[in-house]
């Protein structure tokens, strides 16, 4: 029995605990509400973090403040919502409109959660017009299955005799896609849906959407109704607040025009607009009103011509103006100025501007022809001072020329922030308000008023406020105003800018210098590499020939003919090598600027004819005809560098002959361009009928070692330095060597020089000491009886000189260096040595020092002994250096035996 009693008590306790647990579970379940919802933009939506937002979401949160509910959201279609409510899968569903079938199967909230204005919309470029029922027949209209507005639209269109086609889709997104793809002409949408790039054709009756639950959940609906009643009572503006926060704000909706309005737009493409000075600075008039006109033009297709001068409102009817911006929405003022007004598109408070603590207001500054000027003119207790803009009005108050003025909110924000105007007070006036509108000439068609009203209603308030506030009323400030605003920051900014500017300038200069240096360095390195590569090839060619021929000669000593042939070819290769070395040295000196252009008198006509005489034979040998035409009078003596001029001309003629065709022609033409008593300008040109040069290579032919691709590896001899030398010499003479060519037809080279005339020809000055122009001997001279001292340290050079002197019969002796040569001369008998052959570069004492020392010796023959310089230095300054050190002449190595014999012959005559 005791055991039964114990078991009974245990069962009782367990049942109580189970009951408590079940009650707790029920309470917990009742506290979490599953809300099914339609997927409508900005109603119940999720952001990228999965958080819910939107009008419906915020309304449900307000309800939770009175019910304590927690929510779990589930996206549900309109077709399955009733079934899910009955099965208990969801507790509430929203938004949903009332129909007879739905009302009988579920409970509706007493208050609506969202109000909508259904509209029939079409594409921006659609042919259909607003309320144009006559042309709606045949239109294809799409709507969503959940939308009950289709019936209302059917009734409206049917009553107006319109026969249209209807297409039903699963969702509003499908309908919108069909309209964009051209499957339908229009679609039904609600105002809370996002409407983009469309025009409204019809407005339907307002719709109301509610929250519903299953008909068996009256307790749930009672709590919901109670909470919604409390919300409306405590916050009557809740619907407006949600609409401002989540409404579409007319985004993407274009104004809907009737057929008559469309006709007006197409026939009145250009509207003349004046900008009034009301409530805006003169310097800002080109910003806000023109921005507003641009927006209107975008939405309507109308174009506006703007008069940027201040328009007098009372003259608008006679000034060809159609509209005026911006005016205050006052019918009496508009009537006095023969204007119509659009609806107010922006409201702005008016502020009284006065000096602080100045309550005695008698003189008021106002903008001329403004709304406030019109209103204040009715008062007899004040004096009006008319100004052209708001800045002038405020400045008059600031300077105490006026007691007060009035301005808009936008002007107040701009000027009250300036330290300069801190002495002014801006007090809101409740007597006046700026209600911005557009004035339309009374002579314009009334349709223009309707068009502008519709357009302004399609521009969101945010856009209008942005147009009328951002930089619209920004006053033109001078430097002092900006400094007053924040002197410390201004000083810091100026200092930073100055430092940055100086740094930027220095960095720019350094960067440019470094870049230029880098470019020059790269060019120099590339040029050096190319030069070394080319000169290596050119020098190795004759050297290789000499070495090879010498080996052949040594291997064929028994064959006299082979030895003689090799010797001749070695001689030819040696001359080519010397020519190449001289050319390389010439181009090097020209590039370094060390070449000196002589200024000596010479007969220009004689020089030209001498070149012709020499090259006639060469031309005949090459089977080429040389034609020389000289337009210079005989005995035309000029001052210049005859040697360099001949070098350039000979180079051009030599090239023309070498690269000509068999039986071709070379023309050497010298013509006078201009002549005067003291100067003569001459053009030298050489043309040929040869192989020519491609145009792409014309710019490169004056570079060292450039010979042209068509004959670089040909059998025609050449170093590729002649034109580079010629171009450098002509440039130093103050002119430019030019070229033109046509492949397979020939080439033309020309340059122009201006010479100074001279009356006396000193031809002796035109001959270099030791040059080949001296009298030459026909055979080896008899120099017996001459004693010659030779200062030469190189054994090979000694052997060569010995080879040249032995046949002449003279006696000679060698000195190893300049010091030994001086000692041998000083120890010799008076007048023993007839001549001294002096090398320049020698150990212990060079040739210059030795010559100076010999000339300074105290013996009679020291001044008269004939000293001949033997040197590999071949430039004019080298020759002058030898002469300046007391030498009689200069012979360049390798020694030309003709020159040597000529000089030694002079000693014999002495």
């Amino acid at each position: 029995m005791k055991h039964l009693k114990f078991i009974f008590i245990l069962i009782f306790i367990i049942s109580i605990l189970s009951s408590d647990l079940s009650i707790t579970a029920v309470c917990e379940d009742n506290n979490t509400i599953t809300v099914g919802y339609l997927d409508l933009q900005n109603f119940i939506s999720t952001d990228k973090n999965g958080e819910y937002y939107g009008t419906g979401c915020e309304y449900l949160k307000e309800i939770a403040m009175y019910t304590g509910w927690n929510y779990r959201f589930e996206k549900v279609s309109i077709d399955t919502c009733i079934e899910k409510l009955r099965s208990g899968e969801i507790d509430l569903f929203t938004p949903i409109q009332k129909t007879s079938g739905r009302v009988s199967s579920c409970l509706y909230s007493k208050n609506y959660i969202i109000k909508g204005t259904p509209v029939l919309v079409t594409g921006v470029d659609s042919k259909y017009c607003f309320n144009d029922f006559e042309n709606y027949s045949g239109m294809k209209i799409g709507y969503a299955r959940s939308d009950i507005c289709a019936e209302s639209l059917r009734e409206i269109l049917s009553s107006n005799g319109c026969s249209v086609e209807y297409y039903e889709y699963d969702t509003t997104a499908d309908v919108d896609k069909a309209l964009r793809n051209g499957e339908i002409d229009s679609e039904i949408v609600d105002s809370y849906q996002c409407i983009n790039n469309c025009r409204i054709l019809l407005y339907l009756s307002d719709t109301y959407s509610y929250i519903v639950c299953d008909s068996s959940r009256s307790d749930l609906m009672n709590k919901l109704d109670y909470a919604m009643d409390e919300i409306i009572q405590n916050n009557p503006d809740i619907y407006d607040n949600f609409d401002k926060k989540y409404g579409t704000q007319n985004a993407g909706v274009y104004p809907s025009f009737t057929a008559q309005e469309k006709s007006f737009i197409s026939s009145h493409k250009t509207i003349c607009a004046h900008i009034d000075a009301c409530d805006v600075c003169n310097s800002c008039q080109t910003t806000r009103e023109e921005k507003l006109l641009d927006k209107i033009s975008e939405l309507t297709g109308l174009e506006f011509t703007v008069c940027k001068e201040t328009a007098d409102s009372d003259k608008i009817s006679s000034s060809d103006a159609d509209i005026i911006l911006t005016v205050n929405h006052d019918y009496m003022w508009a009537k006095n100025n023969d204007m119509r007004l659009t609806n107010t598109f922006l409201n702005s408070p008016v502020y009284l501007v006065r000096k602080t603590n100045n309550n005695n207001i008698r003189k008021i500054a106002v903008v001329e022809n403004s709304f406030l000027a019109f209103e204040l003119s009715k008062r007899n207790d004040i004096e009006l001072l008319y100004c052209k803009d708001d800045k002038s009005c405020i400045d008059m108050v600031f300077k105490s020329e006026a007691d007060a003025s009035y301005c808009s909110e936008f002007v107040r924000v701009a000027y009250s922030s300036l330290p300069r105007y801190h002495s002014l007070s801006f007090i809101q006036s409740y007597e006046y308000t700026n209600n911005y509108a557009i004035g339309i000439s009374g002579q314009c068609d009334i349709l223009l008023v309707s068009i502008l009203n519709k357009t302004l209603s399609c521009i969101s308030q945010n856009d209008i406020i942005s147009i009328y506030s951002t930089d619209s009323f920004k006053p033109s400030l001078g430097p002092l105003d900006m400094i007053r605003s924040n002197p410390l920051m201004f000083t810091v900014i100026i200092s930073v800018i100055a430092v940055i500017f100086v740094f930027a300038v220095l960095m720019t200069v350094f960067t440019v210098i470094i870049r230029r240096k880098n470019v020059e360095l790269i060019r120099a390195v590339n040029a050096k590499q190319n030069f070394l590569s080319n000169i290596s090839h050119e020098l190795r060619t004759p050297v290789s020939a000499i070495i090879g021929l010498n080996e052949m000669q040594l291997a064929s000593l028994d064959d006299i003919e082979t030895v003689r042939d090799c010797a001749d070819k070695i001689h030819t290769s040696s001359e080519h090598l010397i020519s190449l070395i001289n050319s390389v040295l010439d181009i090097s000196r020209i590039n370094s600027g060390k070449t000196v252009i002589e200024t000596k008198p010479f007969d220009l006509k004689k020089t030209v004819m001498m070149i012709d005489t020499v090259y006639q034979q060469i031309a005949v040998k090459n089977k080429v005809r040389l034609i020389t035409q000289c337009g210079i009078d005989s005995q035309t003596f000029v001052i210049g560098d005859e040697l360099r001029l001949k070098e350039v001309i000979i180079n051009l003629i030599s090239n023309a002959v070498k690269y000509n065709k068999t039986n071709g022609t070379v023309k050497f033409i010298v013509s006078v361009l201009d002549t005067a008593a003291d100067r003569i300008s001459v053009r030298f040109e050489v043309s040929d009928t040869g192989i020519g040069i491609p145009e792409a290579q014309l710019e490169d032919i004056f570079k060292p070692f450039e010979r042209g691709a068509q004959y670089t590896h040909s059998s025609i001899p050449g170093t590729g330095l002649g034109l580079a030398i010629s171009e450098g010499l002509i440039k130093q003479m103050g002119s430019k060597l030019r070229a033109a060519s046509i492949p397979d037809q020939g080439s033309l080279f020309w340059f122009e020089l201006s010479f100074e005339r001279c009356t006396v020809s000193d031809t002796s000055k035109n001959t270099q000491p030791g040059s080949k122009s001296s009298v030459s001997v026909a055979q080896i001279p008899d120099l017996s009886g001459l004693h010659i001292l030779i200062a030469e340290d190189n054994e090979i050079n000694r052997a060569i000189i010995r080879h040249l002197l032995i046949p002449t019969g003279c006696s000679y002796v060698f000195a190893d260096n300049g010091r030994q040569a001086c000692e041998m001369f000083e120890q010799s008998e008076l007048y023993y040595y007839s001549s001294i052959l002096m090398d320049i570069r020698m150990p212990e004492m060079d040739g210059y020092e030795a010559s100076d020392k010999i000339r300074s010796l105290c013996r009679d023959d020291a001044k008269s002994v004939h000293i001949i310089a033997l040197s590999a230095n071949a430039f004019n300054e080298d020759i002058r250096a030898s002469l300046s050190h007391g030498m009689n002449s200069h012979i360049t190595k390798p020694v030309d035996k003709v020159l040597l014999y000529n000089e030694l012959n002079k000693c014999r005559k002495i």
Side-chain angles (χ1 to χ4, degrees):
M1 189 70 178
K2 290 182 179 179
H3 291 293
L4 291 173
K5 189 175 181 179
F6 176 77
I7 293 171
F8 177 76
I9 294 171
L10 184 60
I11 293 172
F12 178 75
I13 293 172
I14 293 173
S15 64
I16 291 175
L17 291 173
S18 300
S19 176
D20 291 340
L21 289 172
S22 64
I23 290 172
T24 303
V26 170
C27 291
E28 289 177 355
D29 290 340
N30 288 339
N31 198 45
T32 300
I33 301 298
T34 302
V35 179
Y37 67 94
L38 283 179
D39 187 17
L40 297 177
Q41 186 177 19
N42 291 334
F43 183 73
I44 297 179
S45 304
T46 55
D47 59 18
K48 62 181 180 179
N49 298 320
E51 298 292 332
Y52 289 93
Y53 70 93
T55 303
C57 186
E58 290 208 26
Y59 208 130
L60 288 169
K61 289 179 181 178
E62 291 289 330
I63 292 172
M65 299 294 293
Y66 295 91
T67 61
W69 290 341
N70 297 317
Y71 298 109
R72 185 177 65 86
F73 294 102
E74 182 179 333
K75 194 183 299 182
V76 178
S77 68
I78 196 69
D79 297 330
T80 61
C81 66
I82 303 299
E83 181 180 346
K84 286 182 177 289
L85 286 171
R86 286 175 180 173
S87 66
E89 294 180 49
I90 59 174
D91 299 307
L92 301 175
F93 180 80
T94 189
I96 187 170
Q97 299 171 1
K98 288 183 178 181
T99 65
S100 56
R102 295 172 185 170
V103 170
S104 61
S105 59
C106 57
L107 298 177
Y108 276 77
S109 60
K110 184 168 61 175
N111 299 297
Y112 64 87
I113 189 171
I114 187 171
K115 174 185 176 182
T117 303
V119 290
L120 181 67
V121 300
T122 187
V124 176
D125 299 323
S126 174
K127 65 179 180 179
Y128 298 105
C129 300
F130 182 74
N131 282 351
D132 189 16
F133 294 101
E134 296 179 1
N135 294 311
Y136 285 171
S137 293
M139 182 190 297
K140 297 177 182 179
I141 302 175
Y143 63 94
R145 183 178 294 108
S146 60
D147 202 331
I148 65 172
C149 301
E151 290 299 326
S152 174
L153 178 63
R154 283 190 176 93
E155 293 177 5
I156 294 174
L157 295 179
S158 178
S159 63
N160 284 277
C162 300
S163 176
V164 299
E165 299 178 25
Y166 294 93
Y167 295 84
E168 186 179 78
Y169 294 87
D170 293 334
T171 65
T172 55
D174 294 334
V175 184
D176 188 63
K177 182 178 180 182
L179 180 64
R180 305 307 172 203
N181 293 338
E183 299 174 11
I184 56 177
D185 300 315
S186 60
E187 65 171 309
I188 302 173
V189 297
D190 216 329
S191 58
Y192 52 75
Q193 294 176 229
C194 185
I195 309 172
N196 287 312
N197 297 323
C198 64
R199 294 186 187 274
I200 298 175
L201 297 180
L202 286 176
Y203 285 94
L204 307 180
S205 300
D206 289 343
T207 60
Y208 299 88
S209 297
Y210 301 86
I211 305 174
V212 298
C213 67
D214 185 65
S215 57
S216 63
R217 304 290 300 275
S218 58
D219 58 331
L220 190 65
M221 184 55 67
N222 289 335
K223 291 182 180 180
L224 182 65
D225 285 340
Y226 168 77
M228 296 182 75
D229 286 339
E230 289 295 316
I231 291 170
I232 294 173
Q233 182 176 352
N234 296 326
N235 187 7
D237 297 327
I238 188 170
Y239 293 110
D240 292 336
N241 294 335
F242 285 159
D243 186 58
K244 289 179 181 179
K245 186 174 181 180
Y246 294 105
T248 59
Q249 294 285 329
N250 297 331
V253 179
Y254 283 71
S256 303
F257 300 123
T258 64
Q260 292 85 354
E261 290 167 345
K262 277 193 172 183
S263 176
F264 176 88
I265 292 172
S266 62
S267 60
H268 295 76
K269 278 290 184 182
T270 303
I271 303 296
C272 180
H274 275 272
I275 295 177
D276 190 18
C278 178
D279 303 316
V280 62
C281 301
N282 239 14
S283 61
C284 304
Q285 290 178 10
T286 58
T287 56
R288 63 173 189 167
E289 275 81 8
E290 288 188 332
K291 287 182 179 179
L292 182 61
L293 289 176
D294 289 341
K295 189 67 176 177
I296 295 173
S297 179
E298 176 189 341
L299 296 174
T300 62
L302 290 171
E303 296 181 2
F304 298 92
T305 57
V306 178
C307 175
K308 296 182 181 179
E309 298 178 358
T310 303
D312 291 338
S313 303
D314 56 353
K315 298 179 182 178
I316 189 170
S317 59
S318 60
S319 64
D320 297 326
D322 299 310
I323 63 175
I324 182 171
L325 287 82
T326 301
V327 299
N328 206 290
H329 196 280
D330 183 88
Y331 288 110
M332 184 62 68
W333 182 67
K335 182 179 179 181
N336 291 341
N337 289 281
D338 188 26
M339 287 192 298
R340 298 187 181 95
L341 297 174
T342 64
N343 297 333
T344 299
F345 60 84
L346 180 64
N347 296 316
S348 172
V350 173
Y351 289 82
L352 175 69
V353 185
R354 62 177 174 81
K355 283 286 187 72
T356 304
N357 300 324
N358 181 15
N359 297 319
N360 185 21
I361 299 176
R362 300 292 300 170
K363 297 180 180 181
I364 299 179
V366 294
V367 177
E368 187 178 6
N369 298 310
S370 66
F371 161 72
L372 284 170
F374 175 76
E375 288 294 320
L376 293 171
S377 65
K378 300 175 184 178
R379 294 174 55 179
N380 297 322
D381 60 332
I382 57 173
E383 178 185 352
L384 297 183
L385 304 177
Y386 295 101
C387 303
K388 63 179 181 178
D389 52 39
D390 284 294
K391 184 180 186 303
S392 300
C393 293
I394 293 176
D395 282 341
M396 288 192 72
V397 178
F398 175 73
K399 297 175 183 178
S400 299
E401 297 174 358
D403 299 322
S405 181
Y406 287 91
C407 72
S408 69
E409 166 70 10
F410 306 112
V411 176
R412 180 194 69 82
V413 171
Y415 284 91
S416 62
S417 61
L418 298 177
R420 178 183 179 184
Y421 298 102
H422 278 177
S423 62
L424 301 181
S425 297
F426 294 81
I427 306 168
Q428 184 173 352
S429 171
Y430 295 98
E431 186 177 0
Y432 305 110
T433 303
N434 278 326
N435 300 309
Y436 292 103
I438 297 177
I440 303 169
S441 173
Q443 299 178 16
C444 288
D445 196 313
I446 191 64
L447 288 173
L448 183 58
V449 180
S450 174
I451 291 170
L452 293 179
N453 275 331
K454 288 180 178 180
T455 306
L456 291 171
S457 67
C458 289
I459 305 175
S460 68
Q461 278 295 298
N462 290 337
D463 288 344
I464 290 178
I465 292 173
S466 176
I467 289 173
Y468 273 74
S469 60
T470 305
D471 294 331
S472 299
F473 289 87
K474 189 175 182 180
S476 56
L477 303 178
L480 292 178
D481 294 318
M482 293 189 294
I483 295 174
R484 289 192 188 101
S485 298
N486 199 327
L488 179 60
M489 183 177 291
F490 181 82
T491 303
V492 172
I493 291 174
I494 292 298
S495 301
V496 171
I497 291 174
V499 171
I500 293 174
F501 177 76
V502 172
F503 181 76
V505 170
L506 291 176
M507 288 301 296
T508 302
V509 172
F510 289 152
T511 301
V512 171
I513 292 174
I514 290 172
R515 285 179 179 174
R516 287 179 179 174
K517 292 293 184 183
N518 288 340
V519 171
E520 291 175 0
L521 181 61
I522 292 171
R523 287 177 179 173
V525 170
N526 292 337
K528 181 179 179 181
Q529 291 176 345
N530 292 336
F531 180 80
L532 291 175
S533 176
N534 288 326
I535 196 173
S536 174
H537 173 269
E538 296 295 336
L539 290 173
R540 285 175 183 274
T541 300
V543 170
S544 298
I546 292 171
I547 293 173
L549 291 168
N550 186 55
E551 291 178 353
M552 288 177 59
Q553 184 172 277
L554 292 174
S556 307
L557 294 177
D558 297 334
D559 188 346
I560 300 301
E561 291 300 326
T562 300
V563 171
R564 183 178 289 109
D565 181 62
C566 288
D568 291 340
K569 291 179 179 178
I570 288 174
H571 180 73
T572 302
S573 297
S574 300
E575 287 187 338
H576 175 66
L577 182 59
I578 287 298
S579 174
L580 179 62
I581 292 172
N582 290 335
S583 296
V584 170
L585 294 175
D586 280 343
I587 194 66
S588 175
R589 294 182 64 80
I590 290 172
N591 290 339
S592 62
K594 293 182 179 180
T595 299
V596 179
I597 300 300
E598 300 288 345
T599 54
K600 296 181 178 180
F602 66 95
D603 187 342
L604 186 57
K605 174 82 171 185
K606 181 179 178 182
T607 300
V608 170
M609 299 316 296
M610 180 181 68
I611 294 173
D612 173 69
T613 301
V614 172
Y615 266 87
Q616 283 293 349
Q617 300 176 11
I618 298 175
V620 171
K621 182 179 178 181
N622 285 270
K623 299 181 180 179
V624 173
R625 182 186 179 196
L626 173 63
I627 300 175
T628 300
Q629 298 176 4
C630 184
I632 302 175
D633 296 335
S634 58
Q635 295 294 309
T636 301
F637 289 97
V638 296
I639 295 177
D641 195 329
E642 180 187 16
L643 182 63
R644 298 299 187 184
L645 177 62
K646 287 195 296 184
E647 183 178 351
V648 172
I649 296 174
I650 289 172
N651 193 353
L652 296 179
I653 295 177
S654 176
N655 285 345
V657 171
K658 282 194 296 184
Y659 300 114
N660 215 317
K661 299 174 184 177
T662 303
N663 299 322
T665 302
V666 174
K667 289 185 178 181
F668 173 37
I669 301 175
V670 182
S671 54
V672 178
L673 300 178
D674 187 25
T675 183
D678 57 342
R679 298 199 71 83
I680 181 171
S681 296
V682 183
R683 174 186 172 99
F684 302 87
E685 63 178 61
V686 177
S687 62
D688 62 67
T689 58
I691 59 179
I693 305 168
E695 184 177 357
Q697 297 180 14
L698 277 177
E699 295 183 359
D700 297 329
I701 60 175
F702 296 113
K703 296 179 181 179
F705 298 106
E706 292 290 341
R707 299 182 62 200
Q710 70 271 40
Y711 45 79
T712 299
H713 303 290
S714 69
S715 59
I716 302 175
T719 64
L721 293 172
L723 287 177
I725 293 172
S726 300
E727 195 264 348
L729 291 175
I730 293 298
K731 186 176 181 180
Q732 285 197 289
M733 293 181 190
S735 185
K736 182 176 178 61
L737 180 59
R738 304 178 187 274
S741 183
I742 300 176
D744 297 324
Q745 294 187 29
S747 302
L748 170 65
F749 290 84
W750 76 95
F751 60 92
E752 298 171 1
L753 291 175
S754 178
F755 296 98
E756 181 183 352
R757 288 179 178 270
C758 60
T759 56
V760 179
S761 174
D762 186 3
T763 55
S764 62
K765 294 181 181 180
N766 210 22
T767 302
Q768 294 290 354
S771 67
K772 293 186 180 182
S773 59
S774 303
V775 178
S776 62
V777 295
Q779 56 185 1
I780 297 174
D782 181 11
L783 302 178
S784 55
L786 294 183
H787 299 284
I788 301 173
L789 174 60
I790 306 170
E792 174 62 65
D793 62 318
N794 186 277
E795 285 297 331
I796 295 177
N797 289 337
R798 285 186 178 189
I800 294 172
I801 296 173
R802 187 183 296 112
H803 172 74
L804 295 175
L805 294 181
I806 287 175
T808 64
C810 67
S811 65
Y812 54 85
V813 64
F814 287 100
D816 293 334
N817 51 59
R819 183 186 57 77
Q820 188 178 12
C822 291
E823 292 175 354
M824 292 174 66
F825 180 80
E826 189 174 8
Q827 295 171 6
S828 66
E829 295 181 6
L830 206 60
Y831 296 105
Y832 176 77
Y833 290 113
S834 307
S835 177
I836 301 175
L837 301 182
M838 184 73 73
D839 186 23
I840 300 299
R841 294 178 181 267
M842 292 182 294
E844 297 191 33
M845 182 183 289
D846 63 24
Y848 295 144
E849 294 179 71
S851 179
D852 291 335
K853 187 171 182 179
I854 290 173
R855 295 301 188 195
S856 65
L857 292 175
C858 295
R859 47 186 291 164
D860 294 341
D861 58 350
K863 304 294 183 185
S864 60
V865 64
H866 200 81
I867 304 176
I868 303 170
L870 297 180
S871 175
N873 299 334
F875 297 114
N876 288 337
E877 51 266 40
D878 298 319
I879 298 174
R880 285 195 294 270
S882 298
L883 299 180
S884 67
H885 285 282
M887 302 186 194
N888 298 90
S889 60
H890 183 104
I891 297 177
T892 303
K893 293 179 181 179
V895 177
D896 187 323
K897 64 180 180 180
V898 175
L899 293 178
L900 179 61
Y901 292 159
N902 282 337
E903 289 300 321
L904 293 177
N905 231 6
K906 295 177 183 178
C907 298
R908 187 177 62 179
K909 293 177 181 179
I910 294 174

